Amino acid sequence: MAAEPTTTLTRSERLDRLPFSRAHGKLLFGSGIGWALDAMDVGMISFVMAALAAHWQLSSTTLSWIGSIGFVGMALGASLGGLLADRIGRRQVFALTLLVYGLATGAAALSTSVAMLLALRFLVGLGLGGELPVASTLVSEYAPTRIRGRVVVALEAFWAVGWILAALIGYFLIPTSPDGWRWALAIGLVPAAYALVVRWGLPESVRFLESKGRFAEAEASVRTFEESAGVKSMPSPDLAPATKEGTVSIWAPGLRRRTLALWTVWFCINLSYYGAFIWIPSLLHEQGFTLVRSFQFTLIITLAQLPGYAAAAWLIEVWGRRLTLAVFLAGSAMAAALFGFAATETMILVSGCLLSFFNLGAWGALYAVGPELYPTSIRGAGTGAAAAFGRIASILAPLIVPPLMGAGGMGLLFGVFGAAFALGAVAALGLPEQRGRTLADA
């Protein structure tokens, strides 16, 4: 047991000084499962699109809308989810969004027309968009300062787990029958059940509880984490986080530059990531590979996400957030250019794995950066607004693939994606470095 402290600390300071404990692991794993289920759903639609192209004889334009409509919902969900998280709590919104997208995904398995599938995919996106920034905010607010970036990248690494699950389902289940895609979507009901686990099993943000005057709950949550770490401390005074005039808006004078840089990175990474990865199975199929073979290639490429996250998780506390994000985005630009001109199976796999490695490492760094840029009162809104702006790019991304392919093939398509990654790398250098700094309450 640690010795009694000689000074009274705030609850946030008590959390910041803790070592990583079983309680942190429970929060990370519990949030990560929801994150992985999100990724599984987003990844699944890329395989469903390829299957529907074969079984329903859909045009590339129709497929583009199937890929994009979910991101329309995600744009709205990210904005609303962030605002709600600052008002009713991180945990509540996390559970609600899991429930919405789980039920909608299960219902999508029963789709009898493209119109029905589009409507349900919009609802799926509404839930997905609200969940992601809220989960990263919740984990950030509990993670110890010295390893906060690493913990959030570890959370984002669950995205790779979900994509790998989607790739496995796509490879082993979807090609087995004309209704294989329906069974794949039916698995999406799992998040609806998991929403109950989130609602009752995960803690609410201490900073949020204090901002609402719920001091007893905040104290109990901090005590739980201290006991898990074997640390004893004095109770903190019941004071809500102070607010400072001029920080109520993400466009306030002291915040607007970081907001602009963050929005730019979000837009660029969404455009290139979703434009590439939603279409890769279909693009490989169009190039002459069988459905099973294209799914196999995608599965191998997806596996490279895991070492990408691992590298980013280590570097983010060594290089810092800004440099790690910029380097991984620059690596993504290089890999996109290589993939666009890959002419052999070996080059497709090598460049695809490099793209997966660098791009998902960049995603991990980005989710670590966002919550650190804003004070508690607008943290959810700030991260949600950036995600919502990025979703505009994810809406456009699947739609621009067919015309770009028609105009210049894979070279032009992935050249555009590479340029977007490069622009994102430059914008990342405009973000403030937050490594080792306590999250701002005001």
Side-chain angles (χ1 to χ4, degrees):
M1 284 287 187
E4 288 276 357
T6 57
T7 59
T8 302
L9 303 174
T10 66
R11 295 185 182 93
S12 295
E13 290 170 338
R14 287 160 61 189
L15 287 174
D16 284 341
R17 70 179 183 145
L18 293 177
F20 190 86
S21 68
R22 184 176 179 179
H24 292 102
K26 181 181 177 182
L27 172 61
L28 177 60
F29 185 78
S31 301
I33 292 297
W35 203 283
L37 292 171
D38 280 4
M40 185 181 73
D41 182 272
V42 174
M44 199 90 72
I45 198 62
S46 66
F47 298 96
V48 169
M49 284 169 55
L52 290 178
H55 299 309
W56 282 10
Q57 303 300 309
L58 300 180
S59 68
S60 59
T61 300
T62 302
L63 289 175
S64 295
W65 277 108
I66 292 174
S68 287
I69 194 66
F71 299 119
V72 177
M74 288 179 80
L76 183 60
S79 182
L80 292 177
L83 290 171
L84 282 174
D86 288 334
R87 285 164 175 74
I88 66 173
R90 291 29 166 164
R91 182 181 63 180
Q92 302 276 51
V93 175
F94 190 16
L96 177 62
T97 53
L98 281 168
L99 182 65
V100 169
Y101 96 76
L103 292 176
T105 300
L110 304 175
S111 296
T112 56
S113 66
V114 172
M116 181 178 177
L117 180 60
L118 289 173
L120 289 167
R121 288 301 303 172
F122 172 80
L123 291 177
V124 168
L126 200 64
L128 283 171
E131 190 270 326
L132 295 174
V134 171
S136 62
T137 298
L138 178 62
V139 171
S140 289
E141 291 181 332
Y142 270 101
T145 297
R146 67 186 178 281
I147 58 169
R148 185 173 59 236
R150 192 165 291 167
V151 171
V152 177
V153 176
L155 170 67
E156 167 67 0
F158 279 87
W159 187 268
V161 175
W163 259 91
I164 291 169
L165 287 174
L168 289 170
I169 293 168
Y171 181 62
F172 289 108
L173 179 59
I174 292 179
T176 58
S177 73
D179 287 330
W181 66 272
R182 295 185 185 276
W183 290 109
L185 290 180
I187 296 173
L189 280 168
V190 173
Y194 188 68
L196 297 175
V197 177
V198 171
R199 175 62 184 84
W200 300 112
L202 296 182
E204 181 55 88
S205 161
V206 169
R207 286 174 167 86
F208 169 80
L209 291 172
E210 287 185 322
S211 71
K212 300 301 180 182
R214 294 158 62 179
F215 301 115
E217 295 173 67
E219 182 64 31
S221 291
V222 175
R223 287 288 182 91
T224 297
F225 277 74
E226 288 177 333
E227 290 170 4
S228 177
V231 173
K232 186 178 180 181
S233 64
M234 296 289 289
S236 299
D238 291 340
L239 300 174
T243 58
K244 295 180 182 178
E245 188 177 352
T247 60
V248 294
S249 168
I250 61 174
W251 295 106
L255 298 175
R256 63 176 60 140
R257 180 178 176 183
R258 65 185 63 182
T259 295
L260 181 60
L262 184 65
W263 282 32
T264 301
V265 176
W266 264 97
F267 188 91
C268 292
I269 198 171
N270 270 274
L271 183 74
S272 299
Y273 173 76
Y274 287 109
F277 284 90
I278 289 294
W279 271 98
I280 279 178
S282 298
L283 291 174
L284 292 175
H285 187 48
E286 286 182 12
Q287 289 185 321
F289 295 102
T290 65
L291 202 61
V292 173
R293 187 70 166 158
S294 65
F295 286 2
Q296 182 185 49
F297 277 24
T298 306
L299 173 58
I300 295 171
I301 290 170
T302 301
L303 290 172
Q305 295 182 12
L306 288 173
Y309 282 125
W314 178 66
L315 290 171
I316 203 165
E317 300 295 358
V318 177
W319 288 354
R321 282 77 162 125
R322 181 171 55 190
L323 182 58
T324 301
L325 179 57
V327 168
F328 274 80
L329 285 169
S332 300
M334 174 199 69
L338 289 175
F339 191 85
F341 292 99
T344 66
E345 289 190 7
T346 299
M347 281 303 299
I348 289 172
L349 286 174
V350 170
S351 59
C353 285
L354 285 172
L355 180 59
S356 194
F357 174 91
F358 282 111
N359 193 191
L360 276 299
W363 271 111
L366 179 59
Y367 270 105
V369 167
E372 295 182 336
L373 300 180
Y374 301 105
T376 298
S377 62
I378 58 170
R379 185 167 295 127
T383 54
F389 185 73
R391 296 308 174 195
I392 297 173
S394 63
I395 295 166
L396 297 174
L399 297 175
I400 66 174
V401 170
L404 287 176
M405 280 291 292
M410 293 279 283
L412 175 62
L413 177 64
F414 280 85
V416 170
F417 293 154
F421 279 133
L423 176 60
V426 174
L429 296 175
L431 292 168
E433 180 53 61
Q434 300 293 94
R435 179 179 55 169
R437 297 183 182 179
T438 299
L439 291 177
D441 284 325

